[in-house]
Structures are given as structure tokens and as C-alpha cells.
Amino acid sequence: MTTHPFHLAFPVHDLTAAREFYGRMMGCTEGRSSDQWIDFDFYGHQIVAHLAAPPADRKLSNPVGGHDVPIPHFGVVLDMDSWRALADQLENAGVTFAIAPHIRFAGKPGEQATMFFCDPSGNALEIKAFADRAKLFAK
């Protein structure tokens, strides 16, 4: 199956903070931009930070694996080594995690490494990895 890049546009309250977070912290290459938006290469996918007021109430969550998972959220599935390197990088940078890096569903078909954190505008991200990527959709 061919994987096609997705496109996601989301609100941010400060483009400078978005550049710092997605560019420097996350290592995403910047693409096109204007005084209202910035394209980033998010692991081969196109995300676009648009200058806009984020929704006022972002307190939605759903229980998953014993944690309150922020809703909505977006992210990417990395290989395990890249996931560990990013978790270390974010921890060393002092990022506050909504859900700290850990293994979820240990010993089950969907076992995965996961972490949740928010960008400076409160957009929730989940970065995950599977020891066996073929189990991404395992039941």
C-alpha cells in the first residue's frame, strides 16, 4: 500500500512561537509562508500553522490505556529509535507532556510507544512508534 502525505491546517496564536516549536524543537523544515501562515514538513506530511485564535475550550479527552487522551490531536508514527530520540530531545528541552513517553498496551497486539504534548498554542500532538510497524492496525 502506498502512503500518501496528509495535509493538516491548524490554528496558532503566534507564528514566531510556531516556528520555534515546529522548526527548532520538532526539527520540521519550513516551506512556504506568509504573514498569516507557515507550511512545515512534518515527517513527509504537510502541516500548516495558520494565525488564528484557537478554540477557547480544549479540555476534551477520552480515556485510552489508563490516560486521558487529549481530543483533538494529531501526530505521526515513527520508528522506535526515532521516537526515543525525539522523546529525549523534548525531555531535555523541558517540554511539558500531557502524557509522558511510555509503552501503551504492553504485551498486546497494539503495543506502542506513545507521548502527548501541546504546542505553544495548545494544539495536542501524539507521537507514537511500534516495535513491529506491521502491527499498526492489529486487533
Side-chain angles (χ1 to χ4, degrees):
M1 178 171 119
T2 302
T3 301
H4 301 284
F6 71 80
H7 166 82
L8 175 70
F10 58 96
V12 298
H13 70 274
D14 182 326
L15 291 177
T16 300
R19 264 192 181 98
E20 173 71 11
F21 183 81
Y22 290 98
R24 193 183 71 75
M25 294 283 298
M26 296 291 298
C28 299
T29 303
E30 185 175 325
R32 294 175 301 278
S33 66
S34 78
D35 60 352
Q36 296 296 308
W37 53 268
I38 306 168
D39 280 349
F40 292 101
D41 178 344
F42 187 72
Y43 300 94
H45 304 283
Q46 183 190 41
I47 62 172
V48 187
H50 284 268
L51 190 58
D57 184 10
R58 292 196 170 216
K59 302 297 183 215
L60 300 174
S61 65
N62 202 8
V64 178
H67 291 95
D68 288 327
V69 170
I71 304 295
H73 66 265
F74 70 94
V76 68
V77 178
L78 300 176
D79 63 80
M80 196 62 79
D81 289 340
S82 297
W83 182 88
R84 284 187 188 109
L86 181 59
D88 289 345
Q89 177 181 327
L90 296 173
E91 286 174 338
N92 291 336
V95 167
T96 301
F97 291 94
I99 300 174
H102 71 285
I103 302 297
R104 178 166 59 192
F105 309 132
K108 297 180 181 172
E111 179 175 317
Q112 60 195 258
T114 186
M115 60 180 142
F116 286 83
F117 51 93
C118 293
D119 73 9
S121 293
N123 296 297
L125 289 88
E126 176 184 19
I127 309 298
K128 60 172 68 176
F130 290 79
D132 180 357
R133 185 120 179 217
K135 294 187 177 179
L136 180 64
F137 296 106
K139 294 182 179 184

